[in-house]
Amino acid sequence: MFDYIEMFYNPTRKHTNNGMLSPVDYEAEQKEMNEAGV
């Protein structure tokens, strides 16, 4: 159960405090913005 929550559910679950993005998507977006110099 712990592995399911930590490895699948939490990284893909959408969060309201980061624009309804999953943590994985949010980090990818932040990385793109940093590379673009924004």
Side-chain angles (χ1 to χ4, degrees):
M1 182 59 113
F2 177 80
D3 288 339
Y4 169 76
I5 292 171
E6 287 301 315
M7 299 306 213
F8 174 74
Y9 182 72
N10 280 342
T12 59
R13 181 174 61 103
K14 294 179 178 170
H15 296 270
T16 57
N17 63 341
N18 62 11
M20 291 306 294
L21 296 172
S22 71
V24 172
D25 293 337
Y26 181 77
E27 288 179 17
E29 186 176 283
Q30 291 300 310
K31 182 179 178 186
E32 287 177 16
M33 290 178 69
N34 287 340
E35 290 174 354
V38 177

